[in-house]
Amino acid sequence: MSQFVVDPPVVVTVPVEGGGQFPVRRILCVGRNYAAHRREMGGDDRDPPFFFAKPADAIVPPGRDVAYPPRTENLHHEIELVVALKSGGKDVPVQKALDLVFGYAVGVDMTRRDLQAAARDKGQPWEAAKGFDASAPISAIKAWSGPAPQGRIAISVNGESRQDAVVADMIWNTAEIISEASKLWTLAPGDLIYTGTPEGVGPLVRGDRVAGEVEGVGALSFTVV
Ligand code: MN
């Protein structure tokens, strides 16, 4: 007989290329980790990147459509490299950080840009702008060891290029992101980190066909419904 007084949450999973499921513990995200995107968002060139979070159940596994969320008239795409952790720790030095990596995926940090602007103007938290239902579409995870991906990161909408950059342009590289996160939180297996988006973020509407890729990692595509 279960002790739970209501049904416990289901473990959210992301498929791994070649078989198996990666269980998602939580989702950390990096904001303003590409200089050109920081500028398009009106940021100061001296401001370092920072973290925010989404709930694990914001994940949309590959092959699913993405529902247009409520309470926004300006839903934006942000294509991102996603890091999946196989181990954790705190105060992880940069030189050891990549040892925590299980693999990488392609993700989209869906953003209710109008709610983000309103929150920013009032000094309020970003949860409603970033951590909503279905706000974290993701590809299958590719198991990986060695140097982190550095290549092309791109997204198109209805066949038209919107964002096209290289991961090597990140302000904090993958090892630095993991190390910085581990100074703020104890990392653990199952953590995902969305590593930030390059310039060219823009709106999505119902019916849009979205296709994203990170060179060497994979691709994802979905329709906004
Ligand atoms: Mn983002």
Side-chain angles (χ1 to χ4, degrees):
M1 196 68 173
S2 169
Q3 302 181 65
F4 295 125
V5 297
V6 297
D7 290 338
V10 171
V11 175
V12 173
T13 61
V14 178
V16 175
E17 257 187 52
Q21 297 286 329
F22 181 90
V24 180
R25 176 174 178 259
R26 65 167 164 194
I27 306 170
L28 297 175
C29 305
V30 184
R32 298 191 183 172
N33 198 26
Y34 289 79
H37 172 63
R38 183 170 58 188
R39 285 195 291 275
E40 79 179 346
M41 295 302 295
D44 187 311
D45 277 357
R46 293 163 299 185
D47 285 344
F50 55 87
F51 291 99
F52 59 93
K54 295 175 186 270
D57 63 4
I59 287 289
V60 181
R64 304 267 186 86
D65 291 338
V66 174
Y68 194 95
R71 294 298 183 111
T72 184
E73 293 177 353
N74 197 17
L75 175 69
H76 272 207
H77 56 79
E78 298 189 355
I79 186 73
E80 310 205 356
L81 172 70
V82 182
V83 186
L85 299 188
K86 67 181 177 188
S87 57
K90 50 180 151 186
D91 296 327
V92 177
V94 172
Q95 297 76 11
K96 297 273 186 193
L98 294 183
D99 295 347
L100 274 57
V101 172
F102 172 80
Y104 295 92
V106 184
V108 180
D109 167 16
M110 301 287 264
T111 302
R112 291 194 277 214
R113 194 69 75 199
D114 42 3
L115 299 192
Q116 184 188 36
R120 201 166 63 192
D121 290 348
K122 293 178 180 173
Q124 293 175 346
W126 280 15
E127 259 69 20
K130 289 290 196 179
F132 53 92
D133 297 349
S135 60
I138 193 168
S139 71
I141 293 171
K142 184 169 187 174
W144 192 288
S145 60
Q150 295 286 299
R152 182 168 179 242
I153 180 168
I155 194 168
S156 67
V157 179
N158 305 320
E160 174 193 327
S161 173
R162 290 278 188 90
Q163 296 179 269
D164 194 343
V166 290
V167 173
D169 282 347
M170 292 199 299
I171 296 168
W172 284 345
N173 66 32
T174 299
E176 290 167 338
I177 289 166
I178 294 166
S179 179
E180 287 291 330
S182 77
K183 297 173 188 171
L184 289 162
W185 299 280
T186 303
L187 300 177
D191 287 351
L192 294 177
I193 308 176
Y194 281 57
T195 59
T197 200
E199 71 276 22
V201 299
L204 294 170
V205 297
R206 284 188 182 84
D208 277 347
R209 185 71 185 157
V210 179
E213 62 176 305
V214 175
E215 186 180 351
V217 172
L220 91 173
S221 60
F222 58 83
T223 301
V224 180
V225 295

